[in-house]
Amino acid sequence: MSEQQIREELTKYARRAVAQGLVVGPGGNLSARSGGTMLLSPSGYALEDLEPDEWIAIDIETGKLAQDQHVHLPKY
């Protein structure tokens, strides 16, 4: 599964978690692994409002933002 597909799945399951009452507002966290990258929900955002390109990518080995995150940082 590509990173984009994982982002889309995370978005789908985030909305399901909210719809089923498992989380409220910014009160939940989701994450998934894509190769050497961990995708996780940003702090302070309601899960139902997240779009696929808003998941934070962290390099698992270094613990730092993945290289493409400079494109996304202005949103935060």
Side-chain angles (χ1 to χ4, degrees):
M1 187 178 283
S2 72
E3 182 176 312
Q4 183 59 35
Q5 290 171 314
I6 293 172
R7 288 173 176 274
E8 291 167 7
E9 287 290 303
L10 279 168
T11 301
K12 177 175 77 176
Y13 284 104
R15 291 183 178 143
R16 278 189 187 175
V18 172
Q20 293 179 5
L22 299 174
V23 295
V24 177
N29 294 305
L30 291 177
S31 64
R33 183 176 184 155
S34 176
T37 303
M38 176 176 53
L39 298 169
L40 57 129
S41 53
S43 179
Y45 281 71
L47 290 178
E48 70 266 26
D49 295 335
L50 289 177
E51 296 298 330
D53 67 337
E54 295 178 316
W55 294 86
I56 304 297
I58 303 291
D59 183 290
I60 291 173
E61 192 171 309
T62 66
K64 296 181 180 179
L65 291 173
Q67 291 180 351
D68 66 344
Q69 287 307 110
H70 68 280
V71 175
H72 305 284
L73 285 176
K75 293 182 180 185
Y76 305 101

